Amino acid sequence: QVQLVESGGGLVQAGGSLRLSCTTSGRTSIIYPMGWFRQAPGKEREFVAAISWGTGGVLYADSVKGRFTVSRDYAKNTVYLQMNNLKPEDTALYYCAAKMGQAPSGIPNEYRYWGQGTQVTVSS
């Protein structure tokens, strides 16, 4: 399977920023639409943001729209999630994932490959 590795998580104060990175095993992964999901203890995994490799565009959850920005660097085989104005409710384990096709989506079951996650903790 395609390997995805997240990094960049940490502990920040409310209102602060973090940038998460997701490195992939090769272009077979980077050409796939890529998504970011998160899961807090005792809660279900939820969609955060997604980006296509072509003209599919980007997609954001309403809870992060205007605060988070997803982007990708094809030369580095890396997808990023810039998170600004972080809130305590953003605290979770963040995962990147890859799906088939060209269009991004917010549906976890459509993603075939998953990373191990990186922890983001936002203090009050």
Side-chain angles (χ1 to χ4, degrees):
Q1 61 181 347
V2 174
Q3 293 186 351
L4 309 175
V5 181
E6 304 95 335
S7 63
L11 174 64
V12 298
Q13 188 177 3
S17 299
L18 283 174
R19 188 174 76 161
L20 306 184
S21 299
C22 175
T23 58
T24 64
S25 61
R27 60 182 176 181
T28 56
S29 176
I30 203 65
I31 64 173
Y32 296 155
M34 301 292 295
W36 286 97
F37 295 81
R38 65 189 182 187
Q39 187 167 25
K43 298 182 179 179
E44 65 181 1
R45 188 168 299 184
E46 65 175 345
F47 169 72
V48 177
I51 186 169
S52 70
W53 67 269
T55 59
V58 297
L59 186 66
Y60 295 99
D62 288 341
S63 60
V64 306
K65 191 174 298 183
R67 299 188 298 121
F68 291 11
T69 302
V70 63
S71 62
R72 64 198 309 173
D73 186 328
Y74 292 96
K76 296 181 178 180
N77 251 8
T78 301
V79 179
Y80 302 98
L81 183 68
Q82 178 67 47
M83 306 184 295
N84 298 325
N85 192 24
L86 284 161
K87 304 175 181 180
E89 51 262 45
D90 294 318
T91 295
L93 187 64
Y94 282 70
Y95 299 89
C96 67
K99 70 183 293 287
M100 304 299 102
Q102 293 188 359
S105 81
I107 305 173
N109 289 343
E110 294 184 357
Y111 288 77
R112 178 179 295 180
Y113 305 107
W114 294 81
Q116 295 300 306
T118 185
Q119 180 67 40
V120 171
T121 302
V122 185
S123 62
S124 301

